[in-house]
């Protein structure tokens, strides 16, 4: 899973996010707004401006848009550097237009924060910081140097210096706040999107393995009788052909190959057949299946059932859904990774609830991250001596996937550390590490309590 995650993150970090067509359309809207503002200032407000230069600056944007539209294909996606240059050009064009129309005395000066917001949404932090710094420099320059707004009578239209200073402060704060806000929001959205994509990949992989396992299990089950018949018949033929060595060897060869077919089917495991008997399993069998990949990793995995649950009778028969198996497997893997020597997996059921508790004897979750467990890409820097796995630095993606998959099945998860969760159980003092509790309402998890105790009918072929 870590390799898959790294691949996703690597591909995403080098992806060209923004289409040229998108920025061109945004620029056309900006050009239309600038033309309208100039026409209103010239014909309705009768302002005395350098309209020739203003229209020239806007015309440069028109020319660059036309060139970009004809030279590049509509589906072209810009690289990081190309997007930075595109947005920087728009910022400089707007700054020059503001210089010609009163600087910070122009109420449209607040629009200088627009390119910074676009940058925070599309570019990395370094590019956003650079554009934010450029916006602050341009705003500071416009506060001191600009061509004044005047009317037809030559009167200068402007604000008191205190208001100009306040306008400068407001723009600087807006640049910083909107840049950080938009960048943080988009970063979390991307992280969540990548994590959900990894979750879907994990679920699809688990579904494929389950289906593949069932095919082999079905083959082993369905071919068991004919292979036994071939073996029995070949043994009888070998006895009857004892006087003919050549034919007897052929009969023994048939028997040997039948045994070989049986062994091959067994060795291939129990991958996804649509055998109806394998679509459901007792709760403890499902837990052991989820934990199986981690049984031989040098840690003791102890499976326990509560005495109260056993007194209630037979344990729940629940569906072998890939999201449940994979979610539990991720939680058990996390416990094994960070345990010292032992991991406990306790199961408990009542008439209303089914509960699984996973505990270990490691150092537990960092206390300051307990409230954020289950979020994707939560980094916790650890000293090399504190790591349970070499070269491992957790990002929280495994727990996010487990939490997402199990909640999809109707479970509720809670995370704690052993001393906090088991303080009322002195017998559990050894369980001092991480504590995870997964709880389902029984009627939701066990859709039909009698499903495992009645006839299931004929197996159905697997649908592609």
């Amino acid at each position: 899973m870590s390799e898959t995650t790294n691949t996703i993150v690597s591909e995403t970090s080098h992806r060209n996010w923004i289409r040229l067509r998108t920025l061109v359309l945004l620029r056309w809207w900006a050009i239309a707004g600038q033309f309208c503002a100039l026409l209103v200032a010239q014909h309705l407000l009768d302002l005395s401006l350098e309209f020739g230069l203003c229209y020239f600056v806007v015309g440069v944007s028109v020319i660059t848009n036309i060139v970009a539209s004809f030279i590049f294909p509509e589906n072209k996606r810009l690289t990081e550097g190309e997007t930075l240059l595109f947005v920087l050009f728009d910022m400089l064009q707007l700054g020059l237009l503001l210089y010609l129309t009163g600087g910070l005395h122009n109420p449209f000066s607040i629009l200088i924060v627009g390119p910074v917001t676009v940058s925070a949404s599309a570019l990395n932090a370094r590019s956003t910081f650079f554009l934010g710094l450029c916006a602050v420099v341009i705003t500071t320059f416009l506060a001191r140097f600009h061509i004044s707004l005047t009317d037809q009578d030559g009167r200068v239209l402007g604000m008191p210096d205190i208001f100009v200073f306040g306008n400068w402060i407001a723009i600087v704060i807006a640049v910083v706040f909107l840049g950080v806000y938009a960048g943080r929001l988009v970063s979390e959205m991307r992280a969540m999107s990548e994590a959900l994509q990894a979750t879907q990949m994990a679920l699809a992989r688990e579904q494929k393995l389950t289906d593949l396992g069932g095919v082999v299990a079905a083959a082993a089950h369905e071919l068991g009788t004919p292979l036994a018949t071939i073996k029995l018949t070949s043994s009888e033929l070998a006895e009857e052909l004892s006087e003919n060595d050549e034919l007897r060897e052929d009969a023994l060869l048939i028997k040997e190959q039948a045994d070989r077919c049986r062994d091959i089917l067994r060795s291939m495991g129990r991958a996804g057949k649509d055998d109806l008997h394998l679509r459901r399993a007792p709760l403890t069998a499902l837990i052991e299946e989820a934990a199986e990949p981690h049984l031989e990793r040098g840690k003791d995995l102890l499976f326990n059932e509560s005495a109260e649950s056993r007194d209630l009778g037979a344990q729940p028969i629940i569906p072998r859904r890939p999201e449940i198996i994979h979610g539990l497997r991720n939680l058990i893997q996390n416990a094994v990774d960070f345990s010292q020597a032992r991991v406990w997996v306790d199961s408990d059921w009542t008439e209303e609830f089914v509960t699984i508790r996973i505990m270990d004897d490691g150092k537990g979750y960092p206390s300051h991250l307990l409230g954020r467990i289950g979020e994707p890409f939560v980094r916790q820097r650890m000293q090399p001596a504190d790591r349970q796995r070499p070269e491992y630095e957790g990002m929280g993606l495994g727990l996010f996937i487990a939490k997402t998959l199990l909640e999809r099945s109707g479970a509720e998860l809670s995370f704690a550390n052993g001393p906090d969760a088991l303080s009322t159980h002195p017998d559990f003092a050894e369980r001092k590490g991480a504590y995870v509790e997964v709880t389902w309402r029984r009627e939701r998890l066990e859709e039909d309590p009698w499903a495992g105790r009645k006839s299931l009918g004929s197996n159905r072929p697997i649908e592609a």
Side-chain angles (χ1 to χ4, degrees), residues 386-400:
D386 295 333
R387 296 179 182 172
Q388 301 297 322
R389 274 197 291 171
E391 298 94 26
Y392 178 83
E393 183 175 332
M395 298 178 70
L397 185 56
L399 288 176
F400 169 80

Side-chain angles (χ1 to χ4, degrees), residues 199-214:
T199 302
Q200 294 297 331
M201 292 174 61
L203 183 58
R205 177 178 177 274
E206 191 67 28
Q207 181 68 60
K208 185 178 296 184
L209 290 176
T210 300
D211 291 343
L212 178 62

